[in-house]
Amino acid sequence: MKDPKSIVITGGSSGIGEALAREYAAPGVFLALTGRDRQRLDEVAEACRTAGAEVATAILDVRHREPLADWIAEIDGSHPLDLVIANAGISAGTGSFGESGEQARAILAVNVDGVVNTCLAAADLMRPRRRGQIAIMSSLAAFRGFPGAPAYCGSKAAIRVWGEALRGMLHRQGLQVTVICPGYVKSRMTAVNDFPMPFLMEAGRAARIIRRGLAADKARIVFPRRLFAAVWLLSLLPPGWTDPLLRRLPEKPAEPG
């Protein structure tokens, strides 16, 4: 959608979510941002207000369907939504001890249930108007499972495929759906990685790529292209060929906190 004026961004207090809030902030734009850290969220909101945007914030857990849906409905009641970006996500990492059941369940709950909760609440409000866009933050990790982060890869694969199917379903009802698959982007999530991250990108640049793709109603926004080509090739090759290589990759260390 070109020039959305009323935008919800979950996970808007850091990383790509913060960068997208700053990218869209301008006079005449209303931003509704959620996050887990009040101080960081307030700092992002203040920066967006300085850029001329009107901003509302909420500390919400996207896993909790009803409070999230109520908040989105409240925002839509005063500022009918043009764009909802389901960006909130976590990656606990595995460290050197494997991925615990608790970590895996938390990742899947936030990255899958949280995205589904956000998107369905938004779609219910947009559908009667037959207008609106939903963006789902997946990852290049959605195209091949990596041993160092199985729950993260699995969660991003689930929402990628779900989002692509949702695009076809909601198209008949006048809505747009885009799935976003970034590679490595500088954020608190990638800051804990102590291994090489090919084509590591600044969050601001990633936000500009995403904004252009959403304006063009792209079905899938993938970047950087060279890294996508490598991951796509890995997904095509037989696992018997690629498993020995992937098992040598470093594991993601546990995220602080």
Side-chain angles (χ1 to χ4, degrees):
M1 177 180 291
K2 293 182 179 179
D3 300 319
K5 299 301 183 185
S6 180
I7 305 167
V8 165
I9 304 174
T10 64
S13 60
S14 64
I16 295 178
E18 175 185 353
L20 284 167
R22 292 174 180 269
E23 174 66 23
Y24 279 108
V29 173
F30 174 81
L31 293 170
L33 311 176
T34 74
R36 293 181 292 167
D37 186 294
R38 169 55 68 185
Q39 181 178 345
R40 292 203 311 268
L41 189 62
D42 287 346
E43 290 172 356
V44 175
E46 186 57 33
C48 293
R49 292 187 184 106
T50 300
E54 181 183 356
V55 185
T57 63
I59 301 297
L60 285 171
D61 189 330
V62 293
R63 295 174 295 182
H64 299 159
R65 178 174 58 86
E66 290 186 3
L68 177 65
D70 289 345
W71 179 75
I72 292 175
E74 180 182 349
I75 296 298
D76 186 74
S78 58
H79 297 82
L81 295 172
D82 296 320
L83 171 62
V84 172
I85 303 175
N87 169 73
I90 62 172
S91 174
T94 62
S96 59
F97 301 102
E99 186 173 82
S100 71
E102 183 179 358
Q103 285 180 321
R105 291 184 182 92
I107 294 168
L108 291 168
V110 173
N111 294 4
V112 179
D113 292 348
V115 166
V116 171
N117 291 342
T118 304
C119 295
L120 293 185
D124 285 345
L125 298 165
M126 294 173 171
R127 192 179 289 111
R129 298 192 291 266
R130 298 187 63 81
R131 182 181 183 277
Q133 184 173 30
I134 295 170
I136 294 172
M137 191 64 65
S138 180
S139 168
L140 290 186
F143 293 91
R144 178 63 166 89
F146 294 97
Y152 181 80
C153 293
S155 69
K156 293 301 184 178
I159 61 172
R160 176 180 71 82
V161 175
W162 182 72
E164 290 170 350
L166 196 66
R167 177 180 173 90
M169 185 180 78
L170 293 183
H171 176 76
R172 298 190 291 271
Q173 299 167 42
L175 307 187
Q176 301 170 323
V177 179
T178 294
V179 177
I180 305 162
C181 299
Y184 292 112
V185 175
K186 288 186 179 180
S187 67
R188 292 179 69 251
M189 190 180 294
T190 57
V192 301
N193 294 346
D194 58 1
F195 52 82
M197 292 177 281
F199 310 107
L200 180 65
M201 184 180 295
E202 295 289 342
R205 183 184 173 198
R208 291 189 293 273
I209 293 171
I210 292 168
R211 183 175 184 174
R212 288 196 300 269
L214 292 177
D217 186 27
K218 288 189 174 182
R220 184 191 290 168
I221 301 170
V222 295
F223 61 91
R225 290 286 180 177
R226 284 181 288 178
L227 186 56
F228 171 60
V231 174
W232 180 74
L233 178 60
L234 280 174
S235 73
L236 294 179
L237 294 174
W241 295 7
T242 57
D243 281 351
L245 170 65
L246 296 179
R247 283 195 290 266
R248 296 191 183 98
L249 295 178
E251 294 179 335
K252 181 179 175 65
E255 186 177 355

